[in-house]
Amino acid sequence: MIRDLIRLSRMSLQRATAVLILTGMALSEAVAVAASPLTDRPGWAVHHTTKPYAQLVRDVITATKSQGLVVVTQAGPTKAAAARGITIPGNRVIGIFNNDYAVRVLRRSTAAMIEAPIRLYVTEEDNGDATLSYKTAIHVFAPYLAEGGPELADIAAELDQHLEAIAQKAVQPAP
C-alpha cells in the first residue's frame, strides 16, 4: 500500500510538472504574440507606415525589383502559426541581393558572404499598420571590414543606397 501511494505521488508530481511546463509554454507564446513594435536601434532603419501589412510586403517586393535587386528568400511564421491555431500579427523577412553584389563581396571576404542576402523585415502592428525595418548594410558588414577593406565598405554603402531607395518607395502612401 505504501508503495502504491509513493507511485501515485510520483505520477501526480509528474502530471503537475507537465501542467506547469505546458502552462509556461502557453504563456510564453502569448507574451511573444504581444511583443511591442520595433523601434529605432543602432544599425537599423525603421520605417513606420499606415499601410496594411500585405500591401507593404507587395510594395517592398516591387521596390526591390526597381532597384535591380532580386528577392532571394521570404520567410515568416504567420501562416505556419495559423495552421497551428495561433493568430499572430503579420511577420515576413524578405532576403534581397543580386549576383553582381555576391561576386563583389566574395572577392573581398568569403566570410562576409554569410550575411547575404540582406534582410528586410515587414511587421504588422496591433492597429493593422505595417513597419519596414532592416539592418543597414554597413552595420551588417562591419565585422568583415578589416578583411574586406575599403572596397567592402564601398559595397555596403552602395547597398545602403539601394535599401534606402527601396524603403522610400515602399513606404510612400498609395496615390
Side-chain angles (χ1 to χ4, degrees):
M1 180 154 165
I2 292 178
R3 286 183 184 162
D4 290 336
L5 287 174
I6 291 171
R7 200 172 330 166
L8 183 59
S9 297
R10 285 184 186 152
M11 286 175 42
S12 296
L13 183 58
Q14 288 171 342
R15 284 187 187 139
T17 301
V19 167
L20 286 173
I21 289 170
L22 291 173
T23 301
M25 288 170 60
L27 288 175
S28 69
E29 281 191 28
V31 169
V33 169
S36 61
L38 287 171
T39 57
D40 290 332
R41 57 191 70 213
W44 283 57
V46 179
H47 300 271
H48 298 282
T49 76
T50 56
K51 288 186 174 188
Y53 165 77
Q55 182 65 52
L56 186 56
V57 168
R58 286 190 300 273
D59 291 349
V60 166
I61 291 168
T62 300
T64 296
K65 293 174 184 176
S66 75
Q67 283 297 304
L69 297 171
V70 179
V71 173
V72 179
T73 61
Q74 291 189 57
T78 309
K79 288 182 181 177
R84 295 176 43 222
I86 301 169
T87 301
I88 62 173
N91 189 292
R92 175 89 52 98
V93 176
I94 303 168
I96 65 171
F97 221 61
N98 72 18
N99 188 258
D100 178 57
Y101 282 111
V103 170
R104 290 173 62 201
V105 168
L106 282 169
R107 285 184 180 146
R108 307 305 334 149
S109 169
T110 301
M113 196 58 195
I114 189 77
E115 304 299 343
I118 300 293
R119 294 176 306 276
L120 303 171
Y121 191 27
V122 180
T123 52
E124 183 178 29
E125 309 303 334
D126 289 339
N127 66 359
D129 294 346
T131 298
L132 170 61
S133 307
Y134 57 90
K135 291 181 183 180
T136 62
I138 196 66
H139 180 76
V140 169
F141 288 119
Y144 314 98
L145 293 178
E147 176 183 347
E151 294 86 358
L152 184 59
D154 291 344
I155 293 167
E158 287 176 36
L159 284 166
D160 278 337
Q161 289 175 351
H162 286 298
L163 293 171
E164 183 59 26
I166 290 166
Q168 290 308 312
K169 185 170 184 174
V171 303
Q172 70 185 8

